[in-house]
Amino acid sequence: MRAAFIRKTGPPDVIEYGDLPLPEPGPTEALVKVSAVSVNPIDTYIRSGAVPVPLQFPHIIGCDLAGTVTKIGAAVSRLEPGDRVWGSNQGLFGRQGTFAEYAAVDEKWLYPTSPGETDEEAAAGALVGITAHLGLFLHAGLMGGETLFVNGGTGGVGSAVVQLAKSIGAKVIATVGSPEKKALCESWGADLVVDYHSRDLDEQIRNFIKNQGINVWFETLREPTLERTIELMAQRGRIVLMAGRAARPQFPLGAFYTKDLRMCGFAMFNASPDEQRVCAISLNSLYENSGWRPPIGKILPLSQAAEAHKLQEEHTLHGRGSLVGKIVLVTK
């Protein structure tokens, strides 16, 4: 089979595209004929070695996939050949990745694809959708009527946060960087969308929340400004952190505890299979009810995996580029 893989960690150019043996599914695994995959920042961190994890070379890169089951192991109970599925959580913890024509994946990490949803959409929404759901509901306990703030409302995770929060009736404040992104965020129902270049950004937020404060702050930036965040929070508000491995922000302890605030950090990959399945079921239901549409910014062939990683790093590490939505690769 054709696959995108690495023999060592390093820059995007270490990614090779060539032939590897077809995997054989284990007892609890399904062999998936991969149709689409998507690129996530964590993929680039693992490939570069910035996040050191044990890898067995040649290592197939990638976390997300969508495709069709072609074969199942003897102990598989939820899936049958011919089922369309999507999933994430691959490419780490000793597991091979998804950037290949076929992938052997444990059934606990696979979910049925909603009727009408394309494989490109399913792959684009996999990691980011599960991440947003875990942060909002498992960790922050967001409820309808509460006010949520998210940086980067049209980013991978940010776009999911906006749509999932609106699906339960929360008020959503989001920042964006262009009129195009503002319009897209508003189309998902965001109540206040502010250009993060604005000099009066926080004043606009204060005018919107008045004296109520923000109940849940979902931080997607790698360098959070906690002093500013805590000042804008409501009593007993919750701050969610899911990025910024090297960040060392100032922390105003007094204002934090006198407001009864809570802060939680989480990584999607630490969630159990059962916790992630709850998210997947909810995402499928939302898609079927038009409440969840993962945005896709660019579609490339799998053979251009190195180029896709370069594009992702332009956005994540260098703040350059204008893509709105996920980078998706297809095997067709």
Side-chain angles (χ1 to χ4, degrees):
M1 68 172 183
R2 305 291 278 176
F5 58 93
I6 59 174
R7 299 183 190 274
K8 62 180 180 179
T9 58
D13 292 341
V14 301
I15 298 174
E16 300 179 40
Y17 182 71
D19 291 318
L20 288 179
L22 184 71
E24 182 67 22
T28 62
E29 293 180 331
L31 183 65
V32 179
K33 188 179 189 304
V34 178
S35 174
V37 298
S38 65
V39 186
N40 297 288
I42 187 63
D43 301 338
T44 67
Y45 304 153
I46 292 172
R47 183 223 71 233
S48 70
V51 175
V53 297
L55 301 176
Q56 182 178 350
F57 298 113
H59 175 74
I60 300 172
I61 59 177
C63 294
D64 297 343
L65 83 162
T68 303
V69 174
T70 61
K71 188 177 181 180
I72 59 172
V76 171
S77 60
R78 291 193 182 102
L79 303 171
E80 295 288 345
D83 288 348
R84 293 180 62 225
V85 293
W86 65 274
S88 186
N89 228 46
Q90 303 306 299
L92 69 170
F93 300 124
R95 298 189 284 272
Q96 285 284 4
T98 59
F99 279 37
E101 292 179 318
Y102 290 86
V105 181
D106 195 293
E107 70 168 337
K108 66 187 178 183
W109 304 118
L110 292 171
Y111 322 108
T113 303
S114 294
E117 185 174 22
T118 67
D119 286 338
E120 290 83 357
E121 287 178 306
L127 181 145
V128 295
I130 292 174
T131 298
H133 199 286
L134 289 169
L136 288 174
F137 305 119
L138 178 66
H139 294 292
L142 179 69
M143 300 175 64
E146 290 192 311
T147 298
L148 172 135
F149 172 89
V150 60
N151 274 310
T154 60
V157 173
S159 62
V161 168
V162 171
Q163 295 180 68
L164 297 185
K166 290 307 301 180
S167 75
I168 66 159
K171 297 177 182 178
V172 173
I173 304 168
T175 63
V176 295
S178 70
E180 174 195 12
K181 293 179 179 180
K182 183 175 188 291
L184 181 58
C185 212
E186 289 174 340
S187 75
W188 295 326
D191 300 274
L192 176 67
V193 185
V194 187
D195 189 326
Y196 57 71
H197 300 105
S198 300
R199 293 183 178 180
D200 64 342
L201 172 62
D202 286 0
E203 184 179 347
Q204 293 182 61
I205 294 173
R206 289 190 189 93
N207 289 338
F208 180 81
I209 61 176
K210 302 190 185 306
N211 296 321
Q212 301 303 309
I214 293 167
N215 302 108
V216 174
W217 184 291
F218 201 115
E219 186 58 81
T220 62
L221 299 183
R222 296 167 67 239
E223 292 289 341
T225 53
L226 292 181
E227 188 162 1
R228 164 181 173 250
T229 297
I230 290 169
E231 194 274 327
L232 290 167
M233 295 299 292
Q235 200 83 359
R236 296 200 172 182
R238 290 87 75 198
I239 301 167
V240 180
L241 304 176
M242 43 73 66
R245 293 171 185 270
R248 297 291 185 273
Q250 287 188 316
F251 186 82
L253 180 62
F256 182 83
Y257 81 75
T258 57
K259 282 190 173 184
D260 291 358
L261 299 183
R262 284 178 285 159
M263 182 184 298
C264 65
F266 81 101
M268 173 261 199
F269 302 107
N270 293 332
S272 71
D274 287 343
E275 289 170 336
Q276 295 199 33
R277 185 167 297 279
V278 168
C279 303
I281 291 170
S282 177
L283 290 167
N284 281 351
S285 177
L286 281 173
Y287 186 92
E288 292 161 15
N289 289 284
S290 300
W292 166 231
R293 288 295 182 271
I296 297 173
K298 196 174 190 66
I299 297 178
L300 297 169
L302 183 61
S303 59
Q304 294 186 27
E307 178 62 26
H309 269 229
K310 290 176 184 176
L311 286 172
Q312 183 65 57
E313 287 186 341
E314 286 292 303
H315 289 273
T316 308
L317 300 180
H318 307 300
R320 297 193 295 267
S322 58
L323 278 179
V324 178
K326 297 291 290 181
I327 301 169
V328 173
L329 295 94
V330 294
T331 60
K332 303 171 185 176

